[in-house]
Amino acid sequence: MAVRTGSRSAGANSVQSRDGRASEAWRPVVTADLGRVPAGVDRVVVVVSADPLQPDAVFTRAPLLSVTQPGTPAMSFAAPDFTSGETVVVLAELYRRDGGWKIRAVGQGYASGLAGLATDYGVDVEPEPAPTPAPPRSEGRRNPASAGPEVDLSKVERLAPGLLSPARQAGKALVDRDIANRRAAVYLILDHDRHMEELYESFAVQAFAERVLALSATLDDDGTVPVIFSSGGEPFLEEIRLDNHRGRIGRLHTQVDWGWGNVADAMRRAVGHYQESGAADPAFVVTQVGDEPWDKSEVRSLLQNTASLGVFWLFVGFGRGKLAFYKNLNASASATFTNVAFYDASKNPGSVPDERFYAGLVDAFAVWLRG
């Protein structure tokens, strides 16, 4: 298998300095003889790095990734452009799955260089001396006398500029519903049923998670969303952050076996994490569901038992299966789930405009929060 990187157009995808100077376009090739990879190695990461000897060298346009393998059609992928001073880029990962190898395009950049890459892959590195902090910017600061804390999107602009537009739209949705100054700890539960495999591989789940992260930036300024994968085994909890979100879901989900969407266990894990955190703000748990749960009675019991804990559950229908259980949770007159709502994001939420998407996410939550 050969992995090749190169330009999308003449002069593009080269490493550039901050003043716009670009080196000659390059087309390196990495060939992987997977049959010789030791059995104990389950992942091979293809990384490119700017020349550390070239001052201020950063990536601007993402390299074009091409993958060729004898007997199969060539594949190509170009990540979104880099705008945050990234010096290291993970282009792709080769990983073992079901006795064979698969490849996933990633496109995750790191402004923190090889140290940031190593940390994200679980390698301990010695911390560098802390730089002298820059003077705080005064632009856009809220008048201290104003009521309620301000959502500071400068962190989004600095760490994840690609999420700035959806974060602004999410903030507008909160303003329109009169909860702009309210805060909540946002959680994300993702269905890891086998029928979701295509949606993970097509980056649809990644895009969905990024939009939830953008919402979190307007409700909780720590720039982090705990992510729980719901599968047949023990729920897998990690996090997605403003500074590591690109390709993050794709990397994490390969560490989780496909299962049967054990939603109740994932919900319990979210509640446990929330309670252990000692957070004073309520929890907003966005639970992506792709099919009916097999543990319906447990789900109902959890919804009832968490009503007094400050936990709001939003079930987001996104997948190929039936969702009648979630759609009908509050359909009857005798329904008592005041802390529950359902939003049908369609089989392709990426096609839903930001304004409508965030309205669907926060409408019922806003009513509950104001009550």
Side-chain angles (χ1 to χ4, degrees):
M1 177 181 293
V3 181
R4 180 189 304 269
T5 60
S7 301
R8 283 179 283 176
S9 59
N13 292 332
S14 56
V15 178
Q16 296 189 9
S17 65
R18 296 183 192 276
D19 63 3
R21 292 175 298 175
S23 63
E24 184 178 352
W26 40 273
R27 294 178 179 275
V29 177
V30 176
T31 301
D33 187 352
L34 299 176
R36 301 180 63 183
V37 176
V41 176
D42 62 5
R43 192 185 320 184
V44 178
V45 183
V46 181
V47 178
V48 293
S49 174
D51 184 355
L53 299 181
Q54 181 179 344
D56 294 329
V58 298
F59 287 93
T60 54
R61 298 200 68 189
L64 174 67
L65 173 70
S66 298
V67 181
T68 58
Q69 183 176 9
T72 62
M75 299 182 297
S76 295
F77 166 78
D81 291 341
F82 298 106
T83 58
S84 299
E86 289 87 347
T87 58
V88 172
V89 175
V90 178
L91 288 177
E93 291 181 343
L94 308 171
Y95 62 97
R96 294 186 191 269
R97 174 64 69 183
D98 297 331
W101 286 89
K102 289 191 174 184
I103 187 165
R104 176 175 58 255
V106 179
Q108 167 71 47
Y110 294 84
S112 50
L114 291 172
L117 168 70
T119 300
D120 215 22
Y121 279 85
V123 179
D124 292 328
V125 295
E126 291 294 328
E128 298 180 358
T132 303
R137 296 175 58 186
S138 60
E139 299 94 318
R141 289 187 176 273
R142 190 184 185 93
N143 186 326
S146 299
E150 181 187 14
V151 175
D152 184 7
L153 291 185
S154 65
K155 179 181 289 188
V156 180
E157 186 174 12
R158 184 176 72 256
L159 298 177
L163 299 184
L164 189 57
S165 177
R168 285 172 174 159
Q169 194 64 57
K172 181 179 183 301
L174 300 182
V175 169
D176 291 346
R177 288 152 185 83
D178 199 27
I179 57 169
N181 290 327
R182 305 293 293 270
R183 297 291 172 261
V186 178
Y187 285 77
L188 177 60
I189 295 177
L190 293 173
D191 185 356
H192 205 256
D193 231 334
R194 172 65 73 176
H195 65 81
M196 290 290 299
E197 183 173 11
E198 177 187 346
L199 297 173
Y200 277 95
E201 298 299 331
S202 68
F203 300 98
V205 180
Q206 169 72 36
F208 175 76
E210 289 181 358
R211 293 173 98 178
V212 173
L213 178 62
L215 171 65
S216 173
T218 68
L219 283 168
D220 184 354
D221 65 359
D222 68 353
T224 301
V225 173
V227 179
I228 302 169
F229 291 87
S230 168
S231 66
E234 182 178 351
F236 178 69
L237 187 148
E238 255 293 346
E239 61 184 29
I240 182 171
R241 306 190 308 267
L242 291 174
D243 63 353
N244 76 352
H245 69 282
R246 292 174 66 129
R248 177 72 168 167
I249 298 301
R251 293 195 301 278
L252 291 176
H253 99 87
T254 60
Q255 303 176 45
V256 186
D257 291 332
W258 296 109
W260 304 279
N262 195 337
V263 180
D265 277 355
M267 292 170 65
R268 274 190 286 267
R269 187 69 190 275
V271 173
H273 185 281
Y274 171 64
Q275 291 180 310
E276 291 168 8
S277 74
D281 296 319
F284 182 20
V285 187
V286 179
T287 306
Q288 178 264 320
V289 290
D291 206 347
E292 298 281 90
W294 57 266
D295 47 0
K296 295 178 181 178
S297 61
E298 288 189 68
V299 172
R300 288 182 178 276
S301 178
L302 275 164
L303 295 178
Q304 290 175 336
N305 295 338
T306 57
S308 61
L309 298 180
V311 179
F312 184 86
W313 303 94
L314 177 68
F315 293 103
V316 179
F318 165 28
R320 312 297 187 192
K322 298 178 180 178
L323 301 169
F325 171 79
Y326 300 105
K327 291 178 180 178
N328 296 324
L329 277 171
N330 283 326
S332 68
S334 60
T336 58
F337 301 121
T338 58
N339 61 326
V340 178
F342 174 79
Y343 169 52
D344 189 348
S346 80
K347 289 181 172 57
N348 180 21
S351 65
V352 180
D354 279 343
E355 182 176 4
R356 183 150 54 93
F357 178 82
Y358 286 116
L361 253 59
V362 305
D363 270 345
F365 174 64
V367 173
W368 175 80
L369 201 59
R370 292 196 305 266

